[in-house]
Amino acid sequence: MSTRDALLRALPADGRLPEALRAPIEGVSLGHYLVVEAARLDGLPVPAVLAWLGVPQRAFARAEELWSERVSDALAGDDDRFDALYEDALGRALSLWARPVDPLDRDIGAWMTFQRHALEAVDPGELARRAGLTPGDELRLARLWRARLADPEVLALAEAAMSGPLAPLPALAVPPFVFPPAPAEERP
């Protein structure tokens, strides 16, 4: 089984899904749908993503609206567990072609400074776009730092960075995406 197939099987685990989201539509699984949603957040070409997934464009076109409705219905429902499952699955899909965003992905001070600038910006999304970030980059970085902030030492550094004078926005080095992604065993 390929790395791509293994990921799609686990994205998200069927046993935790509401019944309405378990069966594929026109051969398009929820995992396929989420990978395409993730690709759109990064501005990747959907035809290339569908080819990598092995999903015919016509089948996806027929299934997409139904998947959108099913996911929207599940997110609007009373079960908060699906919200967390959806966020996790979308985050895992985004990680397929993650790229380094130096220094935001390695320096808590730079990340907190960026967050402080975003909080003060009239349009935080525009601030991120001018810095070369996509919405997918922002979600990946938020997920990365949410996990790291569970460490009390990192949390203390973050709190220190949030107090005190606001430093200038850090200069970012954002390389282009590499798509299709290399299998996990070939990534650096």
Side-chain angles (χ1 to χ4, degrees), residues 113-124 127 162 164-167:
T113 297
F114 185 83
Q115 291 301 295
R116 288 179 68 186
H117 279 274
L119 288 171
E120 291 188 7
V122 173
D123 183 354
L127 173 77
M162 286 301 281
L166 180 60

Side-chain angles (χ1 to χ4, degrees), residues 18-115:
E19 187 67 38
L21 300 176
R22 292 182 186 178
I25 301 169
E26 298 280 335
V28 177
S29 70
L30 177 60
H32 293 127
Y33 173 80
L34 289 171
V35 170
V36 171
E37 288 298 297
R40 285 185 172 136
L41 289 171
D42 285 322
L44 295 175
V46 171
V49 173
L50 290 172
W52 180 74
L53 290 170
V55 173
Q57 290 183 39
R58 295 180 82 182
F60 188 81
R62 289 189 302 266
E64 182 176 21
E65 186 174 334
L66 290 171
W67 271 123
S68 294
E69 288 173 15
R70 288 182 183 182
V71 168
S72 292
D73 289 347
L75 289 169
D78 294 333
D79 188 356
D80 290 339
R81 290 178 299 170
F82 180 71
D83 295 2
L85 180 65
Y86 177 81
E87 182 182 329
D88 178 62
L90 185 61
R92 285 189 282 140
L94 281 164
S95 71
L96 283 171
W97 49 81
R99 61 184 174 178
V101 179
D102 190 44
L104 297 185
D105 59 357
R106 62 173 177 74
D107 181 339
I108 186 64
W111 172 243
M112 297 313 293
T113 297
F114 185 83
Q115 291 301 295

Side-chain angles (χ1 to χ4, degrees), residues 127-140:
L127 173 77
R129 281 187 296 282
R130 279 189 284 124
L133 301 178
T134 67
D137 288 321
E138 292 180 88
L139 288 171
R140 275 187 294 277

